[in-house]
Amino acid sequence: FPLEAVFTGDRSLSSRPMDRVLEPLRAMGADVATAEAGRLPVRLKGGRLEGLRFRNEKASAQVKSAILLAGLRAGGDVEVLEPARSRDHTENMLRAFGCEVETSESEEDRLVRLGGRRTLAATSIDIPGDPSSAAFPLVAALIVPDSEVTVRSTLINPLRTGLLATLIEMGADLRLENRRRLSGEDVADVTARFGPLHAVEVPAERAPSMIDEYPILAVAAAFASGRTVMHGLSELRVKESDRLAAIVAGLRQCGVEAWDEGDTLVVEGHGGPPPGGASVAAHDDHRIAMSFLVMGLASRSAVLVDSAGMIATSFPGFSALMTSLGARLS
């Protein structure tokens, strides 16, 4: 639409690079101006956008979604090529609202294309449980003795289940029951039960399906026996914080040997509860804060995070939910 809008953000969001989204929108004809180094604030004016064939080199679902949504009123073909499948919730939701979305795959690429029917019609939807949020009570159950937790109606879209697959490889007692479809997505009730974990090597190609879950996976790795190695984590450098650096620093403060080698994270597990007892800097990052609070539930000494208000970014009921399960958070 031919509207002009200015987008601003808090300190964390203002530090994140925006060009990966803005460049394809510019190529479609949007008028875009940014602050220094392609960061917020951003002034944008749309309307009369043209079609685009875009190669999404990082297989970013956020970039793909921006192009598809902008393309709903664009003239001409709108296509996104990716080297690997990225999260497809936007495609599923567009189809649910009546939009034609076509996909095809070759040995080199996966193509997502808007069809000719791009007018959306109102519909009713049920939102599945977010697997990135479910990860925190599930991992808590795996590391706190005598625990068992079930998270109902959890999204198990195969492009989002990398954490579950990795935890099962680590020997986690995880059960997926009552599998069904909900508003075009696969869901299940996921149950986690306390038990021993062992180290694994996580391949880089799994990262897109669990990129937000690496902080809590690193916590699980600290309790596992052996050395866990996680590859392909460069994207963690440009999240709400440099999550890779924050994970390493927090684990070391809690007595866990950890380091990064380029985009690889290595965690030496304790085969049981690590020391804990540290005050960890969350860097205004909700997932870092929640991960180390979960760690403190089962480490030998409690863990303090320097800030927790930002947890409401993605999980406003985190403290109340964890307390209802028996956690002591203060």
Side-chain angles (χ1 to χ4, degrees), residues 82-201:
E82 298 182 306
R85 295 183 70 189
S86 62
R87 299 177 181 186
D88 61 357
H89 309 307
T90 300
E91 297 97 297
N92 293 339
M93 191 61 68
L94 285 173
R95 292 187 183 103
F97 278 86
C99 178
E100 287 182 349
V101 182
E102 305 162 2
T103 60
S104 61
E105 294 192 46
S106 67
E107 291 185 2
E108 297 81 19
D109 297 299
R110 180 175 188 266
L111 174 68
V112 182
R113 182 179 185 275
L114 287 182
R117 188 176 69 247
R118 302 180 189 180
T119 300
L120 307 185
T123 188
S124 297
I125 56 173
D126 292 302
I127 308 296
D130 173 34
S132 296
S133 296
F136 299 103
L138 292 174
V139 170
L142 297 177
I143 63 176
V144 175
D146 303 320
S147 294
E148 181 176 323
V149 169
T150 298
V151 184
R152 303 195 185 281
S153 299
T154 305
L155 181 75
I156 56 166
N157 181 311
L159 298 174
R160 294 295 300 280
T161 54
L163 176 68
L164 297 181
T166 301
L167 291 172
I168 290 170
E169 289 176 0
M170 296 174 74
D173 186 351
L174 282 175
R175 299 194 311 273
L176 276 67
E177 299 173 317
N178 193 20
R179 294 173 184 254
R180 58 203 184 279
R181 295 282 287 180
L182 187 67
S183 295
E185 294 280 9
D186 294 324
V187 303
D189 300 337
V190 183
T191 299
R193 182 181 297 150
F194 171 76
L197 301 172
H198 59 78
V200 295
E201 186 163 356

Side-chain angles (χ1 to χ4, degrees), residues 2-317:
L3 306 173
E4 184 171 302
V6 176
F7 297 84
T8 61
D10 61 13
R11 184 180 67 180
S12 172
L13 191 59
S14 296
S15 69
R16 300 179 69 172
M18 296 290 151
D19 280 341
R20 65 169 63 179
V21 172
L22 298 177
E23 286 304 322
L25 296 182
R26 284 190 181 102
M28 296 176 80
D31 180 9
V32 179
T34 69
E36 182 180 356
R39 287 171 166 75
L40 295 178
V42 168
R43 181 190 57 78
L44 185 147
K45 184 174 181 179
R48 297 187 178 182
L49 300 186
E50 299 298 327
L52 178 70
R53 182 178 175 88
F54 182 78
R55 182 167 295 279
N56 191 13
E57 296 291 356
K58 290 186 175 294
S60 166
Q62 294 173 335
V63 174
K64 175 182 64 178
S65 296
I67 295 168
L68 294 177
L69 294 174
L72 291 175
R73 291 181 60 85
D77 293 337
V78 176
E79 300 177 335
V80 180
L81 288 163
E82 298 182 306
R85 295 183 70 189
S86 62
R87 299 177 181 186
D88 61 357
H89 309 307
T90 300
E91 297 97 297
N92 293 339
M93 191 61 68
L94 285 173
R95 292 187 183 103
F97 278 86
C99 178
E100 287 182 349
V101 182
E102 305 162 2
T103 60
S104 61
E105 294 192 46
S106 67
E107 291 185 2
E108 297 81 19
D109 297 299
R110 180 175 188 266
L111 174 68
V112 182
R113 182 179 185 275
L114 287 182
R117 188 176 69 247
R118 302 180 189 180
T119 300
L120 307 185
T123 188
S124 297
I125 56 173
D126 292 302
I127 308 296
D130 173 34
S132 296
S133 296
F136 299 103
L138 292 174
V139 170
L142 297 177
I143 63 176
V144 175
D146 303 320
S147 294
E148 181 176 323
V149 169
T150 298
V151 184
R152 303 195 185 281
S153 299
T154 305
L155 181 75
I156 56 166
N157 181 311
L159 298 174
R160 294 295 300 280
T161 54
L163 176 68
L164 297 181
T166 301
L167 291 172
I168 290 170
E169 289 176 0
M170 296 174 74
D173 186 351
L174 282 175
R175 299 194 311 273
L176 276 67
E177 299 173 317
N178 193 20
R179 294 173 184 254
R180 58 203 184 279
R181 295 282 287 180
L182 187 67
S183 295
E185 294 280 9
D186 294 324
V187 303
D189 300 337
V190 183
T191 299
R193 182 181 297 150
F194 171 76
L197 301 172
H198 59 78
V200 295
E201 186 163 356
V202 187
E205 55 266 26
R206 193 175 293 173
S209 68
M210 57 182 295
I211 195 65
D212 289 328
E213 286 83 79
Y214 279 102
I216 192 63
L217 175 61
V219 167
F223 286 79
S225 58
R227 177 181 293 179
T228 295
V229 182
M230 295 160 260
H231 299 288
L233 308 188
S234 60
E235 191 73 7
L236 292 184
R237 301 282 191 193
V238 292
K239 291 291 186 176
E240 282 81 343
S241 66
D242 181 342
R243 281 186 182 159
L244 197 48
I247 292 168
V248 170
L251 290 177
R252 286 176 174 173
Q253 287 176 282
C254 290
V256 178
E257 191 175 350
W259 63 94
D260 61 300
E261 300 171 348
D263 64 353
T264 293
L265 173 63
V266 183
V267 178
E268 290 282 6
H270 278 250
S279 176
V280 174
H283 300 283
D284 292 325
D285 190 317
H286 50 132
R287 299 197 193 280
I288 296 296
M290 288 186 283
S291 296
F292 282 99
L293 287 172
V294 168
M295 185 176 191
L297 300 179
S299 54
R300 296 200 289 271
S301 298
V303 174
L304 175 73
V305 296
D306 65 348
S307 54
M310 86 298 286
I311 288 174
T313 299
S314 65
F315 202 156

